[in-house]
């Protein structure tokens, strides 16, 4: 698992008792992630983070077909159990600081929506009403409002031996090499205090028509 750290502006707004936390992780933006003799930089190609979400949505579609099918009860239950296990493996989480013990939302529960455009990954999480969620949710909201959490960092893995990345030489001072991620599996996105990608943003605001509402859901 890798955790590139990207800098952005975070803001929290709330109205009533329903809150939405939104974030944006840009494609095709270069960030310095480490230095070892030469400056090492990194960027994500358009669509490089989409695989996990695409597989999750396919499994949702299969589940909907099984639920609507005329299969006998025992066969249907067995297939649904297998699909539930597969959905959990393809689940995507929104965390604080890459800590699964501080989960803010996830796709499996319908509280997190992840949308991909050519420009960015867009995240929207529905948070519990103020005072009704775990303490780390309230801490995260306060940290966004206070500016302590300023951006998003994905936890991802690049499949070995499948051309998921390449090194590109960048013209300019230092003759830096840029690691370009072409395809990866993203397990989680985290709110972080020291992001490296300046264009990442997080915003917690009053509930409105959001990606969470527009996404297709399967209720069991």
């Amino acid at each position: 698992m890798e955790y590139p750290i990207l800098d952005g502006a975070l803001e929290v707004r709330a109205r009533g008792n329903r809150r939405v936390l939104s974030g944006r992780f840009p494609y095709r933006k270069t960030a310095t992630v480490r230095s070892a003799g030469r400056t090492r930089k990194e960027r994500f190609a358009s669509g490089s983070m989409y695989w996990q979400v695409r597989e999750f949505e396919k499994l949702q579609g299969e589940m909907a077909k099984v639920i609507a099918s005329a299969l006998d009860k025992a066969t249907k239950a067995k297939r649904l159990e297998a699909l539930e296990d597969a959905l959990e493996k393809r689940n995507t989480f929104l965390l604080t600081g890459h800590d699964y013990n501080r989960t803010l939302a996830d796709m499996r529960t319908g509280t997190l929506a992840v949308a991909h455009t050519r420009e960015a990954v867009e995240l929207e999480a529905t948070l519990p009403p103020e005072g009704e969620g775990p303490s780390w949710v309230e801490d995260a909201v306060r940290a966004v409002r206070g500016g302590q959490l300023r951006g998003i960092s994905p936890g991802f893995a690049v499949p070995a031996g499948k051309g998921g990345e390449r090194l590109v030489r960048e013209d300019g001072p230092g003759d830096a090499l840029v690691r370009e991620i072409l395809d990866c599996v993203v397990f989680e996105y985290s709110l972080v205090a020291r992001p490296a990608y300046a264009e990442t943003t997080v915003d917690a605001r009053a509930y409105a028509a959001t990606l969470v509402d527009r996404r297709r859901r399967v209720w069991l």
Side-chain angles (χ1 to χ4, degrees):
M1 183 83 76
E2 301 183 50
Y3 308 106
I5 299 180
L6 303 174
D7 204 18
L10 308 184
E11 180 184 3
V12 177
R13 288 175 287 165
R15 183 185 305 146
N17 65 355
R18 197 169 185 190
R19 300 167 295 178
V20 168
L21 178 68
S22 63
R24 187 176 187 272
F25 188 99
Y27 286 130
R28 305 197 309 272
K29 301 296 182 180
T30 303
T32 301
V33 292
R34 64 182 179 272
S35 179
R38 293 180 177 178
T39 300
R40 181 57 61 88
K41 298 184 178 181
E42 184 176 80
R43 64 172 169 253
F44 290 82
S46 291
S48 58
M49 297 184 180
Y50 183 47
W51 186 85
Q52 182 91 332
V53 172
R54 182 177 66 240
E55 294 302 304
F56 185 92
E57 291 174 344
K58 285 181 182 178
L59 289 168
Q60 279 189 317
E62 291 178 28
M63 183 170 283
K65 290 178 182 178
V66 172
I67 291 173
S69 72
L71 292 170
D72 64 84
K73 188 174 181 180
T75 301
K76 182 178 289 190
K78 186 176 181 179
R79 290 195 180 180
L80 287 175
E81 183 179 1
L83 286 168
E84 286 175 359
D85 290 341
L87 276 170
E88 190 55 44
K89 291 177 182 177
R90 294 290 168 244
N91 199 5
T92 302
F93 294 82
L94 180 64
L95 312 176
T96 300
H98 299 291
D99 186 350
Y100 282 92
N101 290 320
R102 292 190 289 169
T103 296
L104 302 174
D106 70 282
M107 291 184 66
R108 187 72 181 90
T109 61
T111 55
L112 176 65
V114 184
H116 293 258
T117 68
R118 288 184 56 83
E119 303 302 323
V121 181
E122 297 179 355
L123 310 172
E124 288 194 350
T126 299
L127 302 180
E130 187 171 359
E132 295 185 17
S135 60
W136 59 85
V137 173
E138 303 307 320
D139 290 342
V141 171
R142 284 193 290 268
V144 171
R145 285 175 173 159
Q148 289 81 27
L149 293 176
R150 299 190 296 275
I152 299 169
S153 173
F156 73 100
V158 177
K162 294 186 178 181
E165 62 182 307
R166 65 181 179 180
L167 287 177
V168 180
R169 191 168 299 280
E170 185 180 64
D171 295 333
D175 199 23
L177 289 174
V178 179
R179 180 197 187 200
E180 186 172 38
I181 309 299
L182 304 175
D183 194 16
C184 64
V185 180
V186 180
F187 303 97
E188 51 91 0
Y189 295 90
S190 282
L191 307 186
V192 292
R194 297 181 63 188
Y197 288 81
E199 293 83 0
T200 63
T201 58
V202 176
D203 171 51
R205 64 180 183 278
Y207 176 79
T210 68
L211 292 171
V212 173
D213 296 291
R214 294 196 297 269
R215 69 187 291 269
R216 177 168 51 84
R217 299 186 185 183
V218 177
W219 300 101
L220 302 180

